[in-house]
Amino acid sequence: MFSNKHWTIVRPWRHRSAMGLCFVLMAMIWNPAAALAGQIGAIEIRDSEITLRFDDLVAGASTFLLAGPDRIALDIAGAETGRSPQAANARAGLVRAVRQGQPGPGTARIVLDLAQPAVLAGARFAADGRSLTFQLRPVSANEFERASRGPRTLLQPPAGFRAKPPEKRYSVTVPIGKPKPAVQLPRIEGPDNSRLPLVVIDAGHGGHDPGAISPHSGKREKDITLALARAIRADLLASGRVRVALTRADDRYLVLEERFGIARRLKADLFISVHADAAENESASGASVYTLSEVASDREAARLAARENKANIINGVDLGAHSGDVSSILLDLTLRETMNVASDFARLLQREASETVKFRTNAHRFASFVVLKAPDTPSVLFETGFISNKEDSEFLASAAGQKKVARGVRDAVQIHFARRVAAR
Ligand code: ZN
């Protein structure tokens, strides 16, 4: 009944009867003493476009889907629900009702009850960071169900308009799998000169996540990626032109958000996640370089991303999606610049490394890898070859092969930063 109309929830209450439960909940959790940066001033729905307006800066947002009944939830970090607690219960196209809640101090939650399965599309913050607009795109029930099992989507206001995430006022103990509040930052190695570019090398998998396992030698991807990361570090340090840090220098498990989180906290100039591919078809071989895209370049790339993203799921618990501690790591896919720099580096890496490493045809591919979702750090995922292929796995497991991979990365990194300095 409200379709094609503009409505906002900060009007006088019009749906008193439907709101009782919500208000009881709000009265319990709303705490005026805990006043924080942004409050949700209005929620506007126009056709399938929705805009949330804040009266001050917020730290960011994350969204996730809940199936049966189908809902879309948005957690706004650094925000409280509206000043006078409001709830709306109205129909507007795909949205059956809108609810607000406060799942914890400093996070406001908006829940859209859906009239039919739909997902968020084109979410973006306004340039001043004070509103968040997105569309709803109808999807099939199957697609919604599948998407509801995926990780949260993180959104970030433009840099410079970002509120500090609120300080935690209490701690919560969660029984399983919650990552430690903040992973200790690794040591930065190389010349003691903060003006030199910093490259963060991420050895894929680790700890209880072995990654792919070679059917020939039993070698595990997590060991190969660590050896490669160390070899790359050695060559980069020998060049003397960059500083280097490894996300892990031993056999430990990190969720994907922690990996790019380390790169962001160190303000890295380049993030390279090192992996080894696997395929049923043991003749598949060669390296490839992936950069982030919500649209995968082909079905194989989409499958690979799904497999690599599974590293977050242990015992059925998605450590990435449920980790409040990494919610300050936020994503804004509209940061084209970061993605363009990553693409330039991916092409360069293929060009430079192909002298010593065998690449596949169409070696630069795109897919939605969680580990590449740092909004402000150019990031690539380097699948160095197929662990399922006999020759590739022998090459990658050998010191000589690792040295060749490292040399290719070193050459690409040097040219990359030389070009960027020249472009300034
Ligand atoms: Zn992998």
Side-chain angles (χ1 to χ4, degrees), residues 48-376:
S48 62
E49 185 169 278
I50 299 180
T51 300
L52 310 182
R53 295 195 190 282
F54 316 108
D55 66 359
D56 203 341
L57 300 176
V58 299
S62 64
T63 72
F64 56 100
L65 305 176
L66 296 152
D70 297 341
R71 287 152 290 163
I72 294 175
L74 296 105
D75 279 355
I76 315 297
E80 298 273 323
T81 49
R83 209 166 262 122
S84 49
Q86 300 279 351
N89 214 332
R91 299 177 73 92
L94 299 167
V95 178
R96 193 196 302 279
V98 182
R99 292 177 286 136
Q100 291 193 64
Q102 195 85 44
T107 300
R109 178 169 292 172
I110 307 287
V111 177
L112 308 175
D113 291 329
L114 297 172
Q116 68 179 84
V119 295
L120 289 190
R124 66 191 185 281
F125 276 91
D128 66 0
R130 294 196 183 204
S131 67
L132 173 64
T133 300
F134 52 88
Q135 280 87 43
L136 293 180
R137 183 169 59 82
V139 294
S140 71
N142 278 345
E143 202 177 325
F144 186 93
E145 210 277 324
R146 222 176 308 125
S148 73
R149 281 182 272 125
R152 281 180 187 234
T153 301
L154 303 167
L155 304 158
Q156 190 168 47
F161 289 103
R162 206 166 297 151
K164 274 214 189 94
E167 281 173 24
K168 291 250 165 31
R169 285 181 173 72
Y170 60 84
S171 65
V172 184
T173 307
V174 173
I176 180 174
K178 188 149 180 168
K180 291 177 203 82
V183 188
Q184 216 189 338
L185 285 175
R187 202 158 55 90
I188 295 176
E189 296 171 83
D192 184 18
N193 177 356
S194 61
R195 292 173 65 191
L196 285 180
L198 172 63
V199 183
V200 169
I201 309 292
D202 172 49
H205 310 279
H208 50 62
D209 169 24
I213 294 173
S214 164
H216 306 285
S217 59
K219 291 234 185 283
R220 299 171 300 185
E221 184 184 356
K222 68 170 183 175
D223 300 318
I224 288 180
T225 59
L226 183 56
L228 287 166
R230 287 179 173 147
I232 293 166
R233 172 179 63 181
D235 258 31
L236 287 176
L237 290 177
S239 79
R241 308 240 182 114
V242 293
R243 299 173 299 142
V244 185
L246 303 188
T247 54
R248 68 176 180 98
D250 53 20
D251 184 19
R252 72 176 63 194
Y253 175 75
L254 295 168
V255 299
L256 301 171
E257 287 81 353
E258 288 170 335
R259 295 170 184 273
F260 71 71
I262 287 171
R264 295 195 69 216
R265 282 159 64 205
L266 291 176
K267 300 192 167 47
D269 299 283
L270 187 62
F271 175 80
I272 305 172
S273 188
V274 179
H275 288 259
D277 213 337
E280 295 260 304
N281 174 4
E282 292 183 12
S283 65
S285 70
S288 38
V289 190
Y290 288 83
T291 54
L292 183 64
S293 164
E294 289 306 281
V295 183
S297 46
D298 52 53
R299 278 175 62 192
E300 191 201 328
R303 263 202 304 275
L304 176 66
R307 200 173 65 226
E308 297 289 11
N309 291 346
K310 265 206 188 102
N312 269 1
I313 300 173
I314 299 294
N315 298 331
V317 178
D318 187 339
L319 302 178
H322 294 288
S323 158
D325 293 324
V326 290
S327 64
S328 59
I329 300 165
L330 300 162
L331 166 69
D332 183 350
L333 282 174
T334 62
L335 290 182
R336 297 263 156 241
E337 167 68 8
T338 305
M339 291 163 83
N340 288 344
V341 174
S343 282
D344 288 347
F345 179 74
R347 281 190 295 271
L348 200 52
L349 178 57
Q350 187 194 346
R351 194 188 81 188
E352 292 303 312
S354 55
E355 284 178 27
T356 49
V357 179
K358 197 182 106 196
F359 274 79
R360 311 174 67 190
T361 44
N362 296 328
H364 180 198
R365 291 146 175 260
F366 307 89
S368 179
F369 291 93
V370 171
V371 78
L372 299 181
K373 290 191 172 182
D376 41 12

Side-chain angles (χ1 to χ4, degrees), residues 9-11 13 23 30 39-40 81-87 100:
I9 61 159
V10 266
R11 284 187 194 157
W13 306 339
F23 283 145
W30 188 62
Q39 302 211 338
I40 295 170
T81 49
R83 209 166 262 122
S84 49
Q86 300 279 351
Q100 291 193 64

